[in-house]
Structures are given as structure tokens and as C-alpha cells.
Amino acid sequence: MSSAQDAAPWSLRRLPEESALERYRTLRGEPDVELELPEGRNSVAAASLIGADAIARGRSVVYVTSDELVDQTVKQIAALPEPAAVNLHRGMNQLRDLVAHHNAQALGVLGFSTYFSANPRIDPADVVLLDTDRIGDGVIGSLFMVRVDRRLQPHAYEQLRELIGASATPRVLEADGWTPVAARVGELLTGLFCGESTQFVWLRLQPFLGDCQVVVGPDDIEIRPPHELLHSLPGYRHAGQRVHLSTAPAEAAAADVDAAELDLAGLSPSVRYAMDYLRTCFTDPDLTLNRVASAVYMSRYHFSRSFREQTGWRFIDFVTMLRMNEARFLLRETSTSITDVARAVGYRELSHFQRMFKKRFGMSASSYRAGAGSARERDLQVV
């Protein structure tokens, strides 16, 4: 039998995604908003609620997702009570749909390639809802990656090889090998990629050359844009507000896993370096996500997503794990005061440390120390 909520009319139902709408309403005045939904929540449903709120205030709204999900997204929104959704993808639009979108009567749905192309058919909206989970580096790279082919551009390819070296198998060029020559590469390629068909791509990519990922192969060299290039595109810059919607991945299976036990083999060089970096400086109270992202030559947003996708941990949770494991060791093996333990692992405020320790281990630091002492006494009696 259906639950009471299932039987209730739409007007009386409360969708799980409404918490995202509530958070959004507190951030209406911000030009950039990041909303992370709990695992299993529907980003399309959250987008429809936020879109309806913005449309009710007279704002034009678009929802940007990957190209292949546009039709599916329109159907999902159509199944919800509001707002109306119109398919604006590929520029093949009926006049009434365009009018409904521009007059803030319907939420426009379109793919990344349509909204952010060289010749967009849709003006930047008052509110842009970005399906962040579907708009990753691969989607951005599909439009803005530059490839120098050995057969099609032999002269440019040979010049690049002299600067960055050749490779019999594809390899990712490390930052220390790319950053010093990025400006010179830009000079070499400007003439090549400023033709009529490639000018838009090259002009958008060139300012970010130093942050690009470069893949060197035997037949071509690929220069792949960083995620932050998105922020320079007209559809993004000129929008009244950008709302990034994402869903949280599952939490790490074992909350007590030691950092040393994590498998590093599948990590990218940047994330692997970041983890090594964190192991050496996690006790620094001034440690921040921005600082670590800068250390690995990545944008804050790109690093945060890459770290979580590859390790299964949010950055702050991983740092907390390192600190708590070190604190547990100091409480168990030394007589250092709890206040000094808190400072030693990176907490300026004892109350913050106490709160995090109890959240992680289910007991206060003093209770843990007392229990560890009792265990040592029992061990000595047995011996």
C-alpha cells in the first residue's frame, strides 16, 4: 500500500531535494553557488525546484548538462509539477519555446556544446544551473582540446618535440616539464590555431596554457584544458548567477582506514603528490584546500573533485583522518596534555579538537586516554 506521502497531491509533497532549494534561497545574491546533494538525490529534481524559484522571480533559467542527456532531462522535468521545460539544444527551437524561455516562463534545457559553443543560439541566462557531475574535464576537453598531429602539422609537431621531448608511448607531461615552456608553445601555435574555424577555441585556451594537461604521443601532442577554462566562456561569465549542482559520492567504506593503507597505484600524479604533501604538513593549522591545489598546479574546484573521485574522500575528511589518527597515537603513547595534543595535530581551539575526536571515535579524548592506559596496565599484568 502506498505511503501517505505517495498518496498526497504534488502541492502537499516534500521532495528530498527541497533542502537544496532552501540552501539556494540563502545564497540568491551570490554570483556563484555550489550545492552538493546527498548521495542518491536527484540533481534534475533539485534543478527544477531552483529553476521554478528563479522563474517565479522573473529570471530566465537554463539547465546545462551533457549533450546526450538533454532529451532525458526534459522528460524528467516534464514529469514534475513545475516548471515547464523546453528543449533548446542544437539551436533547433520553435519560436514559442524561445519566447517562453526568454520571458521566464519555462526552464530551458540544453547541452554543454550548444550553450558554450563559438556561436551560441541562446543568450547568457539570468541563472545557469550546471549539472556538475556530467560536465567534467572530458566534456570541456571535447570542445577546447588542441591536438598537434605529426602528419597534418609536421612542422609544428617537430618544434614541439624539441621543446618538450618525444615519447614512443603516450605519457602525461609533468608540470615541471610543461610550465617553463608553456609561453613558448603559445607563441609557436598562435599562427597555427588562429584560423577562422579554430580561433574561438585557441583564444579561450591560450590564457590557461600553463595549467593544461599535456599528453605526448608518438603521433600527436594533445593539450587538454583545465576545468577553470569554463569560467572564461561568455555563457558563464555573462550569466547573472551560476549554480553548480552535484551529488556526493558514497563515503569511504572504512572510516578508520589508515592513510598508509590507501592504494596509490590508480591515482593521477597530481593527486598522488597531494597525498604525499598532506602527510608531511597535515599538522599545520593554516593548511587549506587552496594551498594544496596551488601546490599541484590545479584550480581549487578541479582539485577538490579529482581528489574525491580518485580517493573516495573529501579533502577536509582526509585531513581530519590524518589528524585524528596522529592524535590517537599521541594520547595512547605519550603523556602530552590533551591541549598540547590538539595543537600538535593542527587545531588552535581545544573545543574544535574535542568535537572532532568524539565524532570520529565515539568518545572524548580523555576517555580514550584512560581506556588506553587501562589496557596497558592489563597487558603488563599478563606479562
PDB file of all heavy atoms in Angstrom, residues 94-131:
ATOM      1  N   GLN A  94      11.628  25.891 -31.642  1.00  0.00           N
ATOM      2  CA  GLN A  94      10.417  26.563 -32.081  1.00  0.00           C
ATOM      3  C   GLN A  94      10.344  27.937 -31.411  1.00  0.00           C
ATOM      4  O   GLN A  94      10.799  28.120 -30.272  1.00  0.00           O
ATOM      5  CB  GLN A  94       9.189  25.730 -31.714  1.00  0.00           C
ATOM      6  CG  GLN A  94       9.136  24.386 -32.421  1.00  0.00           C
ATOM      7  CD  GLN A  94       7.842  23.672 -32.173  1.00  0.00           C
ATOM      8  OE1 GLN A  94       6.797  24.296 -31.999  1.00  0.00           O
ATOM      9  NE2 GLN A  94       7.884  22.342 -32.180  1.00  0.00           N
ATOM     10  N   LEU A  95       9.765  28.878 -32.102  1.00  0.00           N
ATOM     11  CA  LEU A  95       9.719  30.247 -31.602  1.00  0.00           C
ATOM     12  C   LEU A  95       9.039  30.317 -30.239  1.00  0.00           C
ATOM     13  O   LEU A  95       9.488  31.046 -29.347  1.00  0.00           O
ATOM     14  CB  LEU A  95       8.992  31.144 -32.609  1.00  0.00           C
ATOM     15  CG  LEU A  95       8.882  32.626 -32.218  1.00  0.00           C
ATOM     16  CD1 LEU A  95      10.259  33.240 -32.002  1.00  0.00           C
ATOM     17  CD2 LEU A  95       8.097  33.388 -33.274  1.00  0.00           C
ATOM     18  N   ARG A  96       7.977  29.547 -30.059  1.00  0.00           N
ATOM     19  CA  ARG A  96       7.265  29.625 -28.778  1.00  0.00           C
ATOM     20  C   ARG A  96       8.132  29.160 -27.608  1.00  0.00           C
ATOM     21  O   ARG A  96       8.005  29.662 -26.489  1.00  0.00           O
ATOM     22  CB  ARG A  96       5.970  28.814 -28.848  1.00  0.00           C
ATOM     23  CG  ARG A  96       6.135  27.319 -28.953  1.00  0.00           C
ATOM     24  CD  ARG A  96       4.785  26.597 -28.760  1.00  0.00           C
ATOM     25  NE  ARG A  96       4.937  25.154 -28.830  1.00  0.00           N
ATOM     26  CZ  ARG A  96       4.843  24.452 -29.948  1.00  0.00           C
ATOM     27  NH1 ARG A  96       4.567  25.074 -31.102  1.00  0.00           N
ATOM     28  NH2 ARG A  96       4.990  23.142 -29.934  1.00  0.00           N
ATOM     29  N   ASP A  97       9.038  28.197 -27.870  1.00  0.00           N
ATOM     30  CA  ASP A  97       9.936  27.736 -26.808  1.00  0.00           C
ATOM     31  C   ASP A  97      10.947  28.817 -26.433  1.00  0.00           C
ATOM     32  O   ASP A  97      11.235  29.036 -25.248  1.00  0.00           O
ATOM     33  CB  ASP A  97      10.683  26.474 -27.252  1.00  0.00           C
ATOM     34  CG  ASP A  97       9.779  25.267 -27.369  1.00  0.00           C
ATOM     35  OD1 ASP A  97       8.664  25.329 -26.802  1.00  0.00           O
ATOM     36  OD2 ASP A  97      10.175  24.281 -28.014  1.00  0.00           O
ATOM     37  N   LEU A  98      11.483  29.482 -27.436  1.00  0.00           N
ATOM     38  CA  LEU A  98      12.432  30.572 -27.172  1.00  0.00           C
ATOM     39  C   LEU A  98      11.756  31.705 -26.414  1.00  0.00           C
ATOM     40  O   LEU A  98      12.332  32.273 -25.476  1.00  0.00           O
ATOM     41  CB  LEU A  98      13.019  31.091 -28.480  1.00  0.00           C
ATOM     42  CG  LEU A  98      13.985  30.158 -29.213  1.00  0.00           C
ATOM     43  CD1 LEU A  98      14.305  30.713 -30.597  1.00  0.00           C
ATOM     44  CD2 LEU A  98      15.259  29.978 -28.410  1.00  0.00           C
ATOM     45  N   VAL A  99      10.541  32.038 -26.824  1.00  0.00           N
ATOM     46  CA  VAL A  99       9.807  33.107 -26.154  1.00  0.00           C
ATOM     47  C   VAL A  99       9.530  32.723 -24.694  1.00  0.00           C
ATOM     48  O   VAL A  99       9.699  33.538 -23.776  1.00  0.00           O
ATOM     49  CB  VAL A  99       8.494  33.413 -26.898  1.00  0.00           C
ATOM     50  CG1 VAL A  99       7.612  34.338 -26.060  1.00  0.00           C
ATOM     51  CG2 VAL A  99       8.787  34.038 -28.254  1.00  0.00           C
ATOM     52  N   ALA A 100       9.117  31.480 -24.484  1.00  0.00           N
ATOM     53  CA  ALA A 100       8.829  31.025 -23.116  1.00  0.00           C
ATOM     54  C   ALA A 100      10.072  31.095 -22.236  1.00  0.00           C
ATOM     55  O   ALA A 100      10.006  31.512 -21.071  1.00  0.00           O
ATOM     56  CB  ALA A 100       8.294  29.595 -23.151  1.00  0.00           C
ATOM     57  N   HIS A 101      11.236  30.711 -22.793  1.00  0.00           N
ATOM     58  CA  HIS A 101      12.478  30.779 -22.021  1.00  0.00           C
ATOM     59  C   HIS A 101      12.849  32.224 -21.709  1.00  0.00           C
ATOM     60  O   HIS A 101      13.116  32.576 -20.552  1.00  0.00           O
ATOM     61  CB  HIS A 101      13.614  30.095 -22.791  1.00  0.00           C
ATOM     62  CG  HIS A 101      14.975  30.496 -22.318  1.00  0.00           C
ATOM     63  ND1 HIS A 101      15.438  30.218 -21.048  1.00  0.00           N
ATOM     64  CD2 HIS A 101      15.969  31.188 -22.942  1.00  0.00           C
ATOM     65  CE1 HIS A 101      16.665  30.702 -20.908  1.00  0.00           C
ATOM     66  NE2 HIS A 101      17.009  31.298 -22.037  1.00  0.00           N
ATOM     67  N   HIS A 102      12.906  33.070 -22.726  1.00  0.00           N
ATOM     68  CA  HIS A 102      13.355  34.454 -22.531  1.00  0.00           C
ATOM     69  C   HIS A 102      12.392  35.267 -21.661  1.00  0.00           C
ATOM     70  O   HIS A 102      12.815  36.213 -20.990  1.00  0.00           O
ATOM     71  CB  HIS A 102      13.562  35.138 -23.881  1.00  0.00           C
ATOM     72  CG  HIS A 102      14.794  34.693 -24.597  1.00  0.00           C
ATOM     73  ND1 HIS A 102      16.060  34.956 -24.129  1.00  0.00           N
ATOM     74  CD2 HIS A 102      14.958  33.969 -25.741  1.00  0.00           C
ATOM     75  CE1 HIS A 102      16.960  34.433 -24.946  1.00  0.00           C
ATOM     76  NE2 HIS A 102      16.318  33.826 -25.936  1.00  0.00           N
ATOM     77  N   ASN A 103      11.125  34.887 -21.654  1.00  0.00           N
ATOM     78  CA  ASN A 103      10.143  35.599 -20.825  1.00  0.00           C
ATOM     79  C   ASN A 103       9.998  34.988 -19.434  1.00  0.00           C
ATOM     80  O   ASN A 103       9.058  35.300 -18.697  1.00  0.00           O
ATOM     81  CB  ASN A 103       8.778  35.624 -21.510  1.00  0.00           C
ATOM     82  CG  ASN A 103       8.760  36.533 -22.722  1.00  0.00           C
ATOM     83  OD1 ASN A 103       9.644  37.371 -22.890  1.00  0.00           O
ATOM     84  ND2 ASN A 103       7.759  36.373 -23.571  1.00  0.00           N
ATOM     85  N   ALA A 104      10.945  34.117 -19.073  1.00  0.00           N
ATOM     86  CA  ALA A 104      10.928  33.481 -17.745  1.00  0.00           C
ATOM     87  C   ALA A 104       9.628  32.733 -17.483  1.00  0.00           C
ATOM     88  O   ALA A 104       9.024  32.839 -16.416  1.00  0.00           O
ATOM     89  CB  ALA A 104      11.191  34.518 -16.655  1.00  0.00           C
ATOM     90  N   GLN A 105       9.209  31.968 -18.503  1.00  0.00           N
ATOM     91  CA  GLN A 105       8.019  31.138 -18.357  1.00  0.00           C
ATOM     92  C   GLN A 105       8.355  29.655 -18.385  1.00  0.00           C
ATOM     93  O   GLN A 105       7.501  28.825 -18.091  1.00  0.00           O
ATOM     94  CB  GLN A 105       7.031  31.455 -19.493  1.00  0.00           C
ATOM     95  CG  GLN A 105       6.521  32.881 -19.476  1.00  0.00           C
ATOM     96  CD  GLN A 105       5.778  33.246 -20.747  1.00  0.00           C
ATOM     97  OE1 GLN A 105       5.955  32.615 -21.791  1.00  0.00           O
ATOM     98  NE2 GLN A 105       4.938  34.287 -20.670  1.00  0.00           N
ATOM     99  N   ALA A 106       9.587  29.326 -18.746  1.00  0.00           N
ATOM    100  CA  ALA A 106       9.990  27.919 -18.828  1.00  0.00           C
ATOM    101  C   ALA A 106      11.490  27.800 -18.608  1.00  0.00           C
ATOM    102  O   ALA A 106      12.256  28.727 -18.896  1.00  0.00           O
ATOM    103  CB  ALA A 106       9.611  27.327 -20.191  1.00  0.00           C
ATOM    104  N   LEU A 107      11.887  26.653 -18.094  1.00  0.00           N
ATOM    105  CA  LEU A 107      13.303  26.353 -17.885  1.00  0.00           C
ATOM    106  C   LEU A 107      13.861  25.757 -19.174  1.00  0.00           C
ATOM    107  O   LEU A 107      13.348  24.750 -19.671  1.00  0.00           O
ATOM    108  CB  LEU A 107      13.466  25.377 -16.721  1.00  0.00           C
ATOM    109  CG  LEU A 107      14.860  25.060 -16.208  1.00  0.00           C
ATOM    110  CD1 LEU A 107      14.805  24.593 -14.756  1.00  0.00           C
ATOM    111  CD2 LEU A 107      15.540  23.984 -17.046  1.00  0.00           C
ATOM    112  N   GLY A 108      14.886  26.371 -19.723  1.00  0.00           N
ATOM    113  CA  GLY A 108      15.494  25.849 -20.938  1.00  0.00           C
ATOM    114  C   GLY A 108      16.528  24.784 -20.619  1.00  0.00           C
ATOM    115  O   GLY A 108      17.329  24.961 -19.701  1.00  0.00           O
ATOM    116  N   VAL A 109      16.496  23.691 -21.346  1.00  0.00           N
ATOM    117  CA  VAL A 109      17.445  22.594 -21.143  1.00  0.00           C
ATOM    118  C   VAL A 109      18.280  22.439 -22.406  1.00  0.00           C
ATOM    119  O   VAL A 109      17.747  22.375 -23.513  1.00  0.00           O
ATOM    120  CB  VAL A 109      16.711  21.269 -20.843  1.00  0.00           C
ATOM    121  CG1 VAL A 109      17.720  20.146 -20.593  1.00  0.00           C
ATOM    122  CG2 VAL A 109      15.786  21.428 -19.637  1.00  0.00           C
ATOM    123  N   LEU A 110      19.578  22.412 -22.254  1.00  0.00           N
ATOM    124  CA  LEU A 110      20.458  22.251 -23.409  1.00  0.00           C
ATOM    125  C   LEU A 110      21.785  21.658 -22.979  1.00  0.00           C
ATOM    126  O   LEU A 110      22.128  21.598 -21.794  1.00  0.00           O
ATOM    127  CB  LEU A 110      20.673  23.582 -24.119  1.00  0.00           C
ATOM    128  CG  LEU A 110      21.397  24.714 -23.393  1.00  0.00           C
ATOM    129  CD1 LEU A 110      21.713  25.834 -24.392  1.00  0.00           C
ATOM    130  CD2 LEU A 110      20.547  25.304 -22.284  1.00  0.00           C
ATOM    131  N   GLY A 111      22.529  21.172 -23.967  1.00  0.00           N
ATOM    132  CA  GLY A 111      23.816  20.548 -23.700  1.00  0.00           C
ATOM    133  C   GLY A 111      24.951  21.554 -23.677  1.00  0.00           C
ATOM    134  O   GLY A 111      24.824  22.686 -24.160  1.00  0.00           O
ATOM    135  N   PHE A 112      26.062  21.105 -23.146  1.00  0.00           N
ATOM    136  CA  PHE A 112      27.237  21.962 -22.993  1.00  0.00           C
ATOM    137  C   PHE A 112      27.684  22.541 -24.331  1.00  0.00           C
ATOM    138  O   PHE A 112      27.988  23.730 -24.434  1.00  0.00           O
ATOM    139  CB  PHE A 112      28.365  21.131 -22.373  1.00  0.00           C
ATOM    140  CG  PHE A 112      29.630  21.897 -22.127  1.00  0.00           C
ATOM    141  CD1 PHE A 112      29.842  22.520 -20.912  1.00  0.00           C
ATOM    142  CD2 PHE A 112      30.613  21.993 -23.095  1.00  0.00           C
ATOM    143  CE1 PHE A 112      31.008  23.231 -20.672  1.00  0.00           C
ATOM    144  CE2 PHE A 112      31.782  22.695 -22.870  1.00  0.00           C
ATOM    145  CZ  PHE A 112      31.975  23.320 -21.657  1.00  0.00           C
ATOM    146  N   SER A 113      27.712  21.716 -25.366  1.00  0.00           N
ATOM    147  CA  SER A 113      28.240  22.173 -26.653  1.00  0.00           C
ATOM    148  C   SER A 113      27.383  23.268 -27.274  1.00  0.00           C
ATOM    149  O   SER A 113      27.888  24.104 -28.024  1.00  0.00           O
ATOM    150  CB  SER A 113      28.362  20.994 -27.622  1.00  0.00           C
ATOM    151  OG  SER A 113      27.093  20.476 -27.957  1.00  0.00           O
ATOM    152  N   THR A 114      26.078  23.276 -26.989  1.00  0.00           N
ATOM    153  CA  THR A 114      25.202  24.311 -27.528  1.00  0.00           C
ATOM    154  C   THR A 114      25.355  25.619 -26.765  1.00  0.00           C
ATOM    155  O   THR A 114      25.483  26.694 -27.358  1.00  0.00           O
ATOM    156  CB  THR A 114      23.727  23.865 -27.482  1.00  0.00           C
ATOM    157  OG1 THR A 114      23.562  22.733 -28.336  1.00  0.00           O
ATOM    158  CG2 THR A 114      22.796  24.966 -27.934  1.00  0.00           C
ATOM    159  N   TYR A 115      25.363  25.555 -25.453  1.00  0.00           N
ATOM    160  CA  TYR A 115      25.397  26.772 -24.653  1.00  0.00           C
ATOM    161  C   TYR A 115      26.768  27.452 -24.682  1.00  0.00           C
ATOM    162  O   TYR A 115      26.857  28.680 -24.625  1.00  0.00           O
ATOM    163  CB  TYR A 115      25.010  26.457 -23.212  1.00  0.00           C
ATOM    164  CG  TYR A 115      24.814  27.696 -22.361  1.00  0.00           C
ATOM    165  CD1 TYR A 115      23.746  28.558 -22.587  1.00  0.00           C
ATOM    166  CD2 TYR A 115      25.703  28.002 -21.341  1.00  0.00           C
ATOM    167  CE1 TYR A 115      23.562  29.701 -21.812  1.00  0.00           C
ATOM    168  CE2 TYR A 115      25.533  29.141 -20.563  1.00  0.00           C
ATOM    169  CZ  TYR A 115      24.459  29.987 -20.794  1.00  0.00           C
ATOM    170  OH  TYR A 115      24.301  31.113 -20.032  1.00  0.00           O
ATOM    171  N   PHE A 116      27.843  26.651 -24.780  1.00  0.00           N
ATOM    172  CA  PHE A 116      29.193  27.211 -24.681  1.00  0.00           C
ATOM    173  C   PHE A 116      29.954  27.178 -26.004  1.00  0.00           C
ATOM    174  O   PHE A 116      31.179  27.277 -26.024  1.00  0.00           O
ATOM    175  CB  PHE A 116      30.000  26.476 -23.617  1.00  0.00           C
ATOM    176  CG  PHE A 116      29.518  26.717 -22.215  1.00  0.00           C
ATOM    177  CD1 PHE A 116      28.917  25.704 -21.498  1.00  0.00           C
ATOM    178  CD2 PHE A 116      29.650  27.958 -21.632  1.00  0.00           C
ATOM    179  CE1 PHE A 116      28.473  25.924 -20.191  1.00  0.00           C
ATOM    180  CE2 PHE A 116      29.203  28.190 -20.342  1.00  0.00           C
ATOM    181  CZ  PHE A 116      28.611  27.169 -19.618  1.00  0.00           C
ATOM    182  N   SER A 117      29.256  27.047 -27.117  1.00  0.00           N
ATOM    183  CA  SER A 117      29.933  26.963 -28.412  1.00  0.00           C
ATOM    184  C   SER A 117      30.362  28.341 -28.897  1.00  0.00           C
ATOM    185  O   SER A 117      30.036  29.374 -28.301  1.00  0.00           O
ATOM    186  CB  SER A 117      29.001  26.324 -29.444  1.00  0.00           C
ATOM    187  OG  SER A 117      27.926  27.203 -29.732  1.00  0.00           O
ATOM    188  N   ALA A 118      31.081  28.349 -30.028  1.00  0.00           N
ATOM    189  CA  ALA A 118      31.557  29.614 -30.595  1.00  0.00           C
ATOM    190  C   ALA A 118      30.395  30.486 -31.057  1.00  0.00           C
ATOM    191  O   ALA A 118      30.489  31.716 -31.053  1.00  0.00           O
ATOM    192  CB  ALA A 118      32.491  29.336 -31.773  1.00  0.00           C
ATOM    193  N   ASN A 119      29.293  29.864 -31.459  1.00  0.00           N
ATOM    194  CA  ASN A 119      28.120  30.608 -31.936  1.00  0.00           C
ATOM    195  C   ASN A 119      26.872  30.164 -31.174  1.00  0.00           C
ATOM    196  O   ASN A 119      25.986  29.511 -31.719  1.00  0.00           O
ATOM    197  CB  ASN A 119      27.913  30.381 -33.437  1.00  0.00           C
ATOM    198  CG  ASN A 119      29.093  30.874 -34.247  1.00  0.00           C
ATOM    199  OD1 ASN A 119      29.422  32.055 -34.236  1.00  0.00           O
ATOM    200  ND2 ASN A 119      29.747  29.954 -34.956  1.00  0.00           N
ATOM    201  N   PRO A 120      26.802  30.514 -29.896  1.00  0.00           N
ATOM    202  CA  PRO A 120      25.649  30.062 -29.108  1.00  0.00           C
ATOM    203  C   PRO A 120      24.352  30.663 -29.622  1.00  0.00           C
ATOM    204  O   PRO A 120      24.308  31.828 -30.021  1.00  0.00           O
ATOM    205  CB  PRO A 120      25.978  30.565 -27.692  1.00  0.00           C
ATOM    206  CG  PRO A 120      26.907  31.717 -27.911  1.00  0.00           C
ATOM    207  CD  PRO A 120      27.706  31.366 -29.121  1.00  0.00           C
ATOM    208  N   ARG A 121      23.296  29.841 -29.622  1.00  0.00           N
ATOM    209  CA  ARG A 121      21.995  30.323 -30.082  1.00  0.00           C
ATOM    210  C   ARG A 121      21.175  30.918 -28.936  1.00  0.00           C
ATOM    211  O   ARG A 121      20.143  31.524 -29.169  1.00  0.00           O
ATOM    212  CB  ARG A 121      21.214  29.156 -30.699  1.00  0.00           C
ATOM    213  CG  ARG A 121      21.950  28.418 -31.814  1.00  0.00           C
ATOM    214  CD  ARG A 121      22.177  29.300 -33.013  1.00  0.00           C
ATOM    215  NE  ARG A 121      22.956  28.611 -34.038  1.00  0.00           N
ATOM    216  CZ  ARG A 121      22.427  27.864 -35.001  1.00  0.00           C
ATOM    217  NH1 ARG A 121      21.118  27.683 -35.040  1.00  0.00           N
ATOM    218  NH2 ARG A 121      23.198  27.288 -35.897  1.00  0.00           N
ATOM    219  N   ILE A 122      21.659  30.696 -27.704  1.00  0.00           N
ATOM    220  CA  ILE A 122      20.929  31.168 -26.534  1.00  0.00           C
ATOM    221  C   ILE A 122      21.778  32.189 -25.800  1.00  0.00           C
ATOM    222  O   ILE A 122      22.947  31.946 -25.487  1.00  0.00           O
ATOM    223  CB  ILE A 122      20.617  29.988 -25.573  1.00  0.00           C
ATOM    224  CG1 ILE A 122      19.896  28.871 -26.323  1.00  0.00           C
ATOM    225  CG2 ILE A 122      19.788  30.466 -24.387  1.00  0.00           C
ATOM    226  CD1 ILE A 122      18.581  29.274 -26.927  1.00  0.00           C
ATOM    227  N   ASP A 123      21.233  33.355 -25.530  1.00  0.00           N
ATOM    228  CA  ASP A 123      21.959  34.378 -24.781  1.00  0.00           C
ATOM    229  C   ASP A 123      22.222  33.889 -23.353  1.00  0.00           C
ATOM    230  O   ASP A 123      21.463  33.064 -22.821  1.00  0.00           O
ATOM    231  CB  ASP A 123      21.156  35.670 -24.719  1.00  0.00           C
ATOM    232  CG  ASP A 123      21.045  36.337 -26.081  1.00  0.00           C
ATOM    233  OD1 ASP A 123      21.925  36.090 -26.927  1.00  0.00           O
ATOM    234  OD2 ASP A 123      20.064  37.083 -26.304  1.00  0.00           O
ATOM    235  N   PRO A 124      23.286  34.390 -22.708  1.00  0.00           N
ATOM    236  CA  PRO A 124      23.530  34.016 -21.309  1.00  0.00           C
ATOM    237  C   PRO A 124      22.297  34.266 -20.449  1.00  0.00           C
ATOM    238  O   PRO A 124      21.684  35.338 -20.514  1.00  0.00           O
ATOM    239  CB  PRO A 124      24.689  34.936 -20.901  1.00  0.00           C
ATOM    240  CG  PRO A 124      25.409  35.208 -22.188  1.00  0.00           C
ATOM    241  CD  PRO A 124      24.335  35.291 -23.231  1.00  0.00           C
ATOM    242  N   ALA A 125      21.916  33.265 -19.671  1.00  0.00           N
ATOM    243  CA  ALA A 125      20.694  33.356 -18.883  1.00  0.00           C
ATOM    244  C   ALA A 125      20.940  34.106 -17.577  1.00  0.00           C
ATOM    245  O   ALA A 125      22.078  34.277 -17.137  1.00  0.00           O
ATOM    246  CB  ALA A 125      20.168  31.949 -18.584  1.00  0.00           C
ATOM    247  N   ASP A 126      19.853  34.535 -16.951  1.00  0.00           N
ATOM    248  CA  ASP A 126      19.960  35.166 -15.631  1.00  0.00           C
ATOM    249  C   ASP A 126      20.504  34.167 -14.609  1.00  0.00           C
ATOM    250  O   ASP A 126      21.282  34.529 -13.735  1.00  0.00           O
ATOM    251  CB  ASP A 126      18.594  35.678 -15.168  1.00  0.00           C
ATOM    252  CG  ASP A 126      18.062  36.787 -16.065  1.00  0.00           C
ATOM    253  OD1 ASP A 126      18.881  37.567 -16.579  1.00  0.00           O
ATOM    254  OD2 ASP A 126      16.830  36.864 -16.246  1.00  0.00           O
ATOM    255  N   VAL A 127      20.057  32.917 -14.724  1.00  0.00           N
ATOM    256  CA  VAL A 127      20.516  31.854 -13.818  1.00  0.00           C
ATOM    257  C   VAL A 127      20.894  30.643 -14.665  1.00  0.00           C
ATOM    258  O   VAL A 127      20.085  30.164 -15.460  1.00  0.00           O
ATOM    259  CB  VAL A 127      19.425  31.459 -12.797  1.00  0.00           C
ATOM    260  CG1 VAL A 127      19.934  30.331 -11.897  1.00  0.00           C
ATOM    261  CG2 VAL A 127      19.008  32.660 -11.956  1.00  0.00           C
ATOM    262  N   VAL A 128      22.126  30.174 -14.515  1.00  0.00           N
ATOM    263  CA  VAL A 128      22.592  28.974 -15.210  1.00  0.00           C
ATOM    264  C   VAL A 128      22.775  27.869 -14.187  1.00  0.00           C
ATOM    265  O   VAL A 128      23.556  28.004 -13.240  1.00  0.00           O
ATOM    266  CB  VAL A 128      23.922  29.222 -15.947  1.00  0.00           C
ATOM    267  CG1 VAL A 128      24.396  27.938 -16.631  1.00  0.00           C
ATOM    268  CG2 VAL A 128      23.763  30.330 -16.967  1.00  0.00           C
ATOM    269  N   LEU A 129      22.035  26.786 -14.350  1.00  0.00           N
ATOM    270  CA  LEU A 129      22.158  25.614 -13.485  1.00  0.00           C
ATOM    271  C   LEU A 129      23.061  24.615 -14.190  1.00  0.00           C
ATOM    272  O   LEU A 129      22.745  24.159 -15.285  1.00  0.00           O
ATOM    273  CB  LEU A 129      20.782  25.004 -13.218  1.00  0.00           C
ATOM    274  CG  LEU A 129      19.720  25.958 -12.641  1.00  0.00           C
ATOM    275  CD1 LEU A 129      18.365  25.274 -12.618  1.00  0.00           C
ATOM    276  CD2 LEU A 129      20.117  26.410 -11.249  1.00  0.00           C
ATOM    277  N   LEU A 130      24.175  24.285 -13.581  1.00  0.00           N
ATOM    278  CA  LEU A 130      25.167  23.414 -14.212  1.00  0.00           C
ATOM    279  C   LEU A 130      25.136  22.028 -13.587  1.00  0.00           C
ATOM    280  O   LEU A 130      25.296  21.877 -12.365  1.00  0.00           O
ATOM    281  CB  LEU A 130      26.563  24.020 -14.061  1.00  0.00           C
ATOM    282  CG  LEU A 130      26.770  25.358 -14.796  1.00  0.00           C
ATOM    283  CD1 LEU A 130      27.928  26.120 -14.202  1.00  0.00           C
ATOM    284  CD2 LEU A 130      26.998  25.109 -16.276  1.00  0.00           C
ATOM    285  N   ASP A 131      24.921  21.028 -14.416  1.00  0.00           N
ATOM    286  CA  ASP A 131      24.936  19.631 -13.975  1.00  0.00           C
ATOM    287  C   ASP A 131      26.402  19.225 -13.816  1.00  0.00           C
ATOM    288  O   ASP A 131      26.993  18.612 -14.695  1.00  0.00           O
ATOM    289  CB  ASP A 131      24.230  18.771 -15.021  1.00  0.00           C
ATOM    290  CG  ASP A 131      24.132  17.312 -14.609  1.00  0.00           C
ATOM    291  OD1 ASP A 131      24.581  16.979 -13.502  1.00  0.00           O
ATOM    292  OD2 ASP A 131      23.614  16.520 -15.413  1.00  0.00           O
TER     293      ASP A 131
END
